[in-house]
Structures are given as structure tokens and as C-alpha cells.
Amino acid sequence: MSVEARALRVNERAADINAVAPKIETRTLTPGDGEVLVEIKAAAINPSDAKAAFGMMPHAVWPRTAGRDWCGVVREGPRSEEHTSELQSR
């Protein structure tokens, strides 16, 4: 299964709030072996995202994707044999 995903990206540190220039990027995602595909239902901008954008986190890596706090539903991925056995025994 492949999906089109969108992400809010910040390409470089900004001097001030008026200089923050986020971009919305899209790409096709296909999970590989041992990976999961999660449909994100909600994402929040963490204070660390804002601090990094203004250069307050010296080890921030650029470009970066904002929205480190999220919730979602696993849509595809490897099945846990232990979990599957547990469900079958109920």
C-alpha cells in the first residue's frame, strides 16, 4: 500500500517569527519490511519545533519536519505473532 503524505517542513533557521517560511511537502510513502504505515489523525507543533525554528536548539538538523507530537491509526505493517496468538485464544 502506498499513500500520498503531506508534511510541514522548515528548511532553515529563521531570524525572527516574520522570517519563518514553512513549506508543505508531499511525497509517496510505501512501508518497507518491518515498517508500519500510520494514518496521522492529528499533529501538534511541539515547543521544540518553535525553538528550533528560531535557532534556540543548536543541534537541530535542517530541513526539519514540524509536528513531533501526533496520534494516528496503524494502517499497514508487520503482525506480531504473539499478539495474533493472544487474540485467537480469546
Side-chain angles (χ1 to χ4, degrees):
M1 168 186 243
S2 294
V3 296
E4 285 296 312
R6 292 176 295 164
L8 181 66
R9 300 280 282 172
V10 180
N11 291 319
E12 60 189 5
R13 181 174 52 95
D16 60 44
I17 193 155
N18 296 318
V20 175
K23 306 277 188 225
I24 295 178
E25 293 183 1
T26 59
R27 68 177 71 169
T28 301
L29 300 177
T30 304
D33 290 338
E35 295 181 330
V36 297
L37 179 65
V38 178
E39 179 184 0
I40 305 301
K41 295 292 191 175
I45 302 299
N46 186 288
S48 66
D49 294 318
K51 290 176 183 177
F54 299 123
M56 296 173 67
M57 296 181 71
H59 301 292
V61 176
W62 302 98
R64 55 189 297 113
T65 303
R68 297 157 44 107
D69 298 326
W70 52 268
C71 67
V73 177
V74 174
R75 293 295 180 198
E76 183 177 326
R79 297 187 62 83
S80 165
E81 293 302 320
E82 180 180 322
H83 182 67
T84 302
S85 297
E86 178 186 325
L87 291 175
Q88 291 173 344
S89 67
R90 290 184 183 178

